[in-house]
Amino acid sequence: MQKQLAEFIGTFTLVLFGCGAAVLAGGDIGLAGISFAFGFALIGMAYGIGPVSGCHINPAVSLGAVAAGRMSLSEAAGYILAQILGALAGAGILMLIASGKADYSVAQNGLGQNGWGPGYLGEYAMTAAFIFEVVASFLFIVVILGATGKGAPAHLAGLAIGIALVVIHLVGINVTGVSVNPARSIGPAVFVGGTALAQLWLFIVAPVIGTVAAGLLFRSGQLDAQS
């Protein structure tokens, strides 16, 4: 339960502070500020819980690790459950905080949920959203598996991974709000409902496709520095 607790806390933190930056402070800090909030939350957790669980805080990362041969599917299942519960808790607490403002409405203001199409940020089409999430997830797990592989400077892994997440957000917030993490998408969508819940499938399927593809490349030795 130690690893699962760490993953719960880590995912809770990512959703509360990352999505919270968008919901509570987005008008003041802008897209760059939101991007850094997600990245810095990940960096903090990487060093805080990394020694305990590896700080996946993302079901797609755990499945990518399975594909790379670095984790068993049974262990990943425990991680994923903890991550989803942490994301739900983070989104729930964020909604309680946001509701403390008189003019806040979860239906109108949301919880930093992901999406695409008319009415959502840059109004990109579903195809563009799907391509972005697959490619961004693929590149994100390449950084993660590479930075945590044998021979890599372990003390810099959290920093490299967090910076990668910042860059992904800087590029992709207007496209999908950036998921690359099914748990991060599930938490807000469950509370917001409606379109966010109807579009949730993309933010589960696309990140998993991207991370599993990268994991298989590492497993094959094509991207493994030790092969």
Side-chain angles (χ1 to χ4, degrees):
M1 288 298 293
Q2 186 183 35
K3 292 181 178 181
Q4 289 77 16
L5 177 60
E7 289 295 306
F8 176 93
I9 293 172
T11 315
F12 173 91
T13 302
L14 182 72
V15 171
L16 178 61
F17 289 151
C19 295
V23 176
L24 305 177
D28 298 314
I29 63 177
L31 297 185
I34 296 167
S35 300
F36 278 99
F38 274 101
F40 285 169
L42 179 55
I43 290 171
M45 285 295 104
Y47 293 106
I49 67 169
V52 178
S53 68
C55 189
H56 291 191
I57 62 176
N58 180 341
V61 169
S62 297
L63 291 174
V66 171
R70 297 189 186 179
M71 188 180 205
S72 70
L73 186 57
S74 60
E75 185 176 20
Y79 271 48
I80 291 169
L81 177 59
Q83 292 155 0
I84 292 172
L85 292 175
L88 289 169
I93 293 296
L94 175 58
M95 185 173 69
L96 289 175
I97 294 170
S99 297
K101 191 174 182 181
D103 61 352
Y104 173 80
S105 164
V106 68
Q108 292 186 351
N109 304 107
L111 289 170
Q113 67 272 15
N114 298 115
W116 73 82
Y120 187 86
L121 296 176
E123 300 191 334
Y124 282 80
M126 182 186 73
T127 301
F130 193 87
I131 291 171
F132 172 79
E133 288 292 331
V134 170
V135 174
S137 299
F138 175 90
L139 297 175
F140 188 42
I141 196 70
V142 166
V143 173
I144 292 171
L145 293 174
T148 56
K150 293 180 180 178
H155 61 289
L156 294 178
L159 187 60
I161 295 165
I163 290 173
L165 190 60
V166 171
V167 173
I168 289 169
H169 277 80
L170 287 172
V171 173
I173 284 181
N174 272 323
V175 183
T176 64
V178 179
S179 172
V180 301
N181 182 340
R184 171 262 183 270
S185 299
I186 290 170
V190 166
F191 289 97
V192 174
T195 301
L197 205 54
Q199 295 183 343
L200 180 60
W201 66 270
L202 186 147
F203 303 107
I204 296 173
V205 174
V208 170
I209 289 174
T211 56
V212 168
L216 292 173
L217 278 177
F218 272 85
R219 189 168 196 154
S220 72
Q222 298 301 308
L223 290 176
D224 193 338
Q226 298 301 304
S227 298

